[in-house]
Amino acid sequence: EVDRVLGLELGADDYVSKPFGVRELVARIRAVTRRTRLANPQTGDGRRPSADPAGPGTRRVQLIGPLAIDRRTRQVRLDDAPIALAPKEFDLLTCLAEDPGAVCSRRQILDTAWEPNWFGPTKTLDVH
């Protein structure tokens, strides 16, 4: 149980223990695929929505060159193409995008993308 919980906390979307059936595996893959599909933010006629429901003067989407990060919807686009990211990958990206080009310590990244009291291997940052 500890390994399953740790894996899920490290950013895994699901866990399948052996033995497993092929139908169950396919169903789990389809469920993860449904969760990672990105909604198309364009209107039906190809125009971008002009009204910002967050209100005037608010900035919901951060642009860094061709990269667009929408923290509200957790969507990322590169050159207007959707990029599917795992939850922890998105958290890391937003952490690094807070101050583009700045050097961040391992501890700063872990405190921001995981949590200040992270109890787990710090090498997980290397893996991600």
Side-chain angles (χ1 to χ4, degrees), residues 71-114:
R71 286 177 171 82
R72 187 179 62 83
T73 62
R74 297 183 65 89
Q75 293 182 353
V76 178
R77 299 181 80 76
L78 181 62
D79 289 325
D80 211 31
I83 304 294
L85 296 177
K88 193 53 67 184
E89 292 171 337
F90 183 86
D91 294 341
L92 278 168
L93 177 63
T94 57
C95 171
L96 296 172
E98 287 292 323
D99 191 3
V103 175
C104 299
S105 71
R106 174 180 290 276
R107 184 80 265 158
Q108 287 173 307
I109 296 171
L110 286 169
D111 287 351
T112 303
W114 276 263

Side-chain angles (χ1 to χ4, degrees), residues 21-103:
V22 175
R23 287 186 297 186
E24 177 188 3
L25 181 62
V26 170
R28 287 178 182 272
I29 291 170
R30 286 184 180 144
V32 170
T33 303
R34 278 193 308 268
R35 288 194 305 262
T36 58
R37 279 195 198 122
L38 297 174
N40 186 354
Q42 293 187 343
T43 60
D45 59 2
R47 292 180 296 117
R48 293 200 178 275
S50 57
D52 186 355
T58 60
R59 185 171 170 193
R60 294 186 345 221
V61 178
Q62 179 182 6
L63 298 175
I64 304 172
L67 185 69
I69 305 168
D70 188 339
R71 286 177 171 82
R72 187 179 62 83
T73 62
R74 297 183 65 89
Q75 293 182 353
V76 178
R77 299 181 80 76
L78 181 62
D79 289 325
D80 211 31
I83 304 294
L85 296 177
K88 193 53 67 184
E89 292 171 337
F90 183 86
D91 294 341
L92 278 168
L93 177 63
T94 57
C95 171
L96 296 172
E98 287 292 323
D99 191 3
V103 175

